């Protein structure tokens, strides 16, 4: 039974992994952009800061599953031309928006944790604000938030299964579920669980090593 | 008529909220001269230097660099900072970069110097300040005195018109103060124009051409070091120096 269902589930899991990579890239870029906006201080940028704050509050405050439903079924229901209707795209967008809000807060914590003397020193040697950010602040910020960022990677990898509620064919959990339902056997579900563990456990070990590396006296 | 001073501070005021830190400061640093600013903690010494380097916006007055006003809203602040060097009390080196990258960052990114040329010059400057062989070390692996010398080298790598030094020895263990002061002495000999905030009175007497006593946001007394430090006129200056004396810092 395990031998039968495992290839199906594995193939579906490969889809999950690719989905994860694409969504994660979007999350990292979106999260950074929102964090950068939120850490600006120029009075002129106040409206954009407010917008970024609103985004974070709203998308962090809604359960991810609910967000997948709202976007995955809500957008097609609007019947507006030009908007995507594919469940994969909408599900991916919902996950990216949800995780982007979390990750922007992780980045922001890293940025504000860099001592203000670093920005002063960067400006004092004649760097522009952008150069100070790029060469001095962000490298230090990203180093500090490596472990929490990877923790969010792990959550996202698991939450890819949420898009199965939109009826995305070929998603690992859904394939396992259908296989299991057809002959009242849990083995496919266990196969799916093993697939996820094969990714999340190594990621967790990396988090452990990074956490040791950034804590204490070690640099 | 002598040439314009390299740095001129004229009637500068600066408040943080309700708190007036500078209340009309006037100061001139002529070329190749060193002016020392002394004063109690909280008297506004760091704020004065930060205003001069345009890290803080002043409320009123003007600051001139080589005769040009630099505190006008139309002035490109980044371009002005490239013509000045500032050394901080706490070094503020970039911990994620090695020593030579700390020194080269401004040369390459702010001054557009080729990497090879910037590296050659950084090596030469580091060597001159006794840091040969430490180029690839991280700042954390150096002593405080070495870190502060790297910070000095970083500040002069862009060949600034004037160097602003903010209590650069007060975070150091006593035995490391000498090597950093020696570096400043050498810069003075080379003719570097400097505005020096310091608690080291014997050092101020030795290298400064003028000493200014900052009290409550104003310069209460100024003059040749021997005059201000040995026979000050104002009671506030006398009291400040007496306190330093009893604290064993004179
Ligand atoms: N960014 C700021 N916001 C609010 N208040 C500030 C700020 N920077 C400085 N101050 C206040 O301005 C006053 C002068 O500070 P400043 O750092 O210039 O003093 P200082 O003479 O350099 O003192 P020290 O010898 O302790 O370094 C202090 O009361 C300080 O609390
Ligand atoms: Mg100070």
């Amino acid at each position: 039974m395990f031998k039968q269902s495992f290839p199906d589930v594995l193939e579906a899991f490969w889809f999950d992994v690719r989905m994860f990579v694409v969504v994660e890239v979007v999350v990292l870029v979106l999260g950074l952009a929102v964090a950068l906006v939120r850490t600006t201080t120029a009075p002129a940028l106040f409206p954009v800061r407010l917008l970024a704050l609103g985004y974070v509050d709203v998308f962090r405050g809604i359960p991810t599953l609910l967000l997948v439903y709202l976007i995955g079924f809500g957008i097609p229901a609007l019947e507006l031309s030009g908007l995507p209707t594919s469940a994969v795209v909408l599900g991916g967008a919902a996950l990216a928006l949800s995780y982007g809000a979390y990750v922007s807060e992780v980045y922001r914590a890293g940025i504000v944790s860099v001592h203000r003397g670093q920005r002063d020193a960067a400006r004092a040697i004649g760097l522009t604000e952008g150069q100070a950010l790029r060469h001095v602040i962000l490298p230090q910020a990203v180093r500090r938030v490596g472990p929490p960022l990877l923790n969010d990677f792990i959550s996202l990898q698991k939450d890819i299964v949420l898009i199965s509620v939109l009826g995305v064919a070929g998603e690992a959990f859904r394939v396992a579920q259908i296989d299991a339902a057809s002959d009242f056997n849990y083995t496919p579900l266990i196969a799916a669980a093993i697939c996820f563990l094969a990714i999340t456990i190594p990621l967790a070990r990396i988090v452990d090593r990074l956490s040791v590396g950034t804590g204490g006296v070690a640099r | 008529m002598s040439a314009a001073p390299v740095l001129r501070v004229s009637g500068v005021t600066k408040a943080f909220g309700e708190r007036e830190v500078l209340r009309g400061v006037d100061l001139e640093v002529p070329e190749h001269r060193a002016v020392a600013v002394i004063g109690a903690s909280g008297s506004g010494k760091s704020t004065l230097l930060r205003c001069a380097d345009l890290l803080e916006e002043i409320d009123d007055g003007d600051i001139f660099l080589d005769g040009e006003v630099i505190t006008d809203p139309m002035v490109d602040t980044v371009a002005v900072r490239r013509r000045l060097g500032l050394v901080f009390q706490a070094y503020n080196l970039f911990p994620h970069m090695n020593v030579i990258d700390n020194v080269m960052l401004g040369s390459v990114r702010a001054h557009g110097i080729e990497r090879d040329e910037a590296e050659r010059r950084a090596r030469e400057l580091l060597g001159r300040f006794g840091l040969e062989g430490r180029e690839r070390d991280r700042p954390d692996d150096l002593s405080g005195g070495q870190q502060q010398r790297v910070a000095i080298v970083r500040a002069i790598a862009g060949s600034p018109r004037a160097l602003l030094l903010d209590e650069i020895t007060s975070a150091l263990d006593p035995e490391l103060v000498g090597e950093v002061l020696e570096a400043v002495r050498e810069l003075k000999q080379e003719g570097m124009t400097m505005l020096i905030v310091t608690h080291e009175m014997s050092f101020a007497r030795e290298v400064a051409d003028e000493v200014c006593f900052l009290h409550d946001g104003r310069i209460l007394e100024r003059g040749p070091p021997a005059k201000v430090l040995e026979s000050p006129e104002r009671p506030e200056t006398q009291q400040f120096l007496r306190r330093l004396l009893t604290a064993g810092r004179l």
Side-chain angles (χ1 to χ4, degrees), chain B residues 149-168:
Chain B
R149 281 183 284 145
V150 173
I152 292 172
V153 169
R154 179 177 70 178
I156 61 171
S159 310
R161 287 289 292 146
L163 191 58
L164 312 169
L165 306 176
D166 190 3
E167 287 192 51
I168 60 170

Side-chain angles (χ1 to χ4, degrees), chain B residues 41-42 44-47 89 166-167 197:
Chain B
S41 181
K45 305 181 298 293
S46 298
T47 305
Q89 180 174 348
D166 190 3
E167 287 192 51
V197 167

Side-chain angles (χ1 to χ4, degrees), chain A residues 53-84:
Chain A
L53 176 66
Y55 159 71
V56 173
D57 279 353
V58 168
F59 285 87
R60 217 171 39 152
I62 301 174
T64 310
L65 178 59
L66 181 52
L67 202 60
V68 171
Y69 264 99
L70 284 174
I71 292 178
F73 293 123
I75 300 275
L78 295 177
E79 292 184 353
L80 291 172
S81 61
L83 285 178

Side-chain angles (χ1 to χ4, degrees), chain B residues 28-57:
Chain B
E28 285 191 6
V29 192
E31 182 140 41
H32 309 309
R33 296 295 165 84
V35 172
V37 175
I38 60 171
S41 181
S43 58
K45 305 181 298 293
S46 298
T47 305
L48 176 62
L49 294 193
R50 294 174 59 83
C51 288
D53 204 26
L54 307 185
L55 294 176
E56 304 282 358
E57 251 179 75

Side-chain angles (χ1 to χ4, degrees), chain A:
Chain A
M1 182 61 217
F2 190 79
K3 266 195 190 141
Q4 260 173 26
S5 60
F6 198 69
D8 283 356
V9 173
L10 193 64
E11 197 192 322
F13 183 67
W14 176 232
F15 166 84
D16 286 33
V17 170
R18 282 177 299 162
M19 183 89 191
F20 160 72
V21 170
V22 172
V23 174
E24 184 63 45
V25 169
V26 176
V27 165
L28 287 174
V29 174
L30 175 68
L32 182 59
V34 172
L36 288 178
V37 167
R38 289 205 60 196
T39 49
T40 55
T41 51
L45 292 177
F46 178 74
V48 205
R49 270 200 298 281
L50 201 65
L51 202 70
L53 176 66
Y55 159 71
V56 173
D57 279 353
V58 168
F59 285 87
R60 217 171 39 152
I62 301 174
T64 310
L65 178 59
L66 181 52
L67 202 60
V68 171
Y69 264 99
L70 284 174
I71 292 178
F73 293 123
I75 300 275
L78 295 177
E79 292 184 353
L80 291 172
S81 61
L83 285 178
T85 50
S86 140
V88 173
V89 172
L90 290 173
L95 288 174
L97 286 168
S98 178
Y99 274 83
Y102 279 104
V103 164
S104 77
E105 287 298 279
V106 173
Y107 274 127
R108 195 169 72 92
I111 291 170
V112 302
S113 79
V114 176
H115 194 273
R116 124 192 151 109
Q118 291 290 307
R119 176 165 168 260
D120 288 343
R123 293 199 299 161
I125 59 170
L127 300 190
T128 62
E129 290 287 350
Q131 289 174 324
L133 204 58
R134 156 91 177 72
H135 298 287
V136 175
I137 315 237
L138 280 182
Q140 296 184 61
V142 168
R143 244 162 258 220
R144 279 178 212 191
V145 298
L149 220 47
L150 266 176
N151 273 326
D152 282 341
F153 273 38
I154 295 175
S155 301
L156 175 61
Q157 169 64 32
K158 293 185 297 174
D159 276 354
I160 294 290
V161 302
L162 295 179
I163 65 168
S164 65
V165 300
L166 301 178
V168 173
E171 192 286 317
F173 172 62
R174 188 168 167 81
V175 166
Q177 209 183 13
I178 291 168
D179 275 9
S182 60
D183 40 38
F184 310 102
N185 189 312
Y186 284 116
T187 317
L189 290 171
I190 289 169
I194 290 171
C195 287
F196 278 99
L197 289 176
I199 296 267
T200 53
I201 289 177
L203 275 177
R205 289 295 80 74
I206 296 175
V207 175
D208 289 350
R209 292 195 47 186
L210 280 180
S211 307
V212 171
T214 51
V217 285
R219 202 179 38 240

Side-chain angles (χ1 to χ4, degrees), chain B residues 220-232:
Chain B
L220 276 194
E221 184 161 1
R222 71 179 84 213
K227 172 81 187 52
V228 176
L229 298 175
E230 270 147 45
S231 48

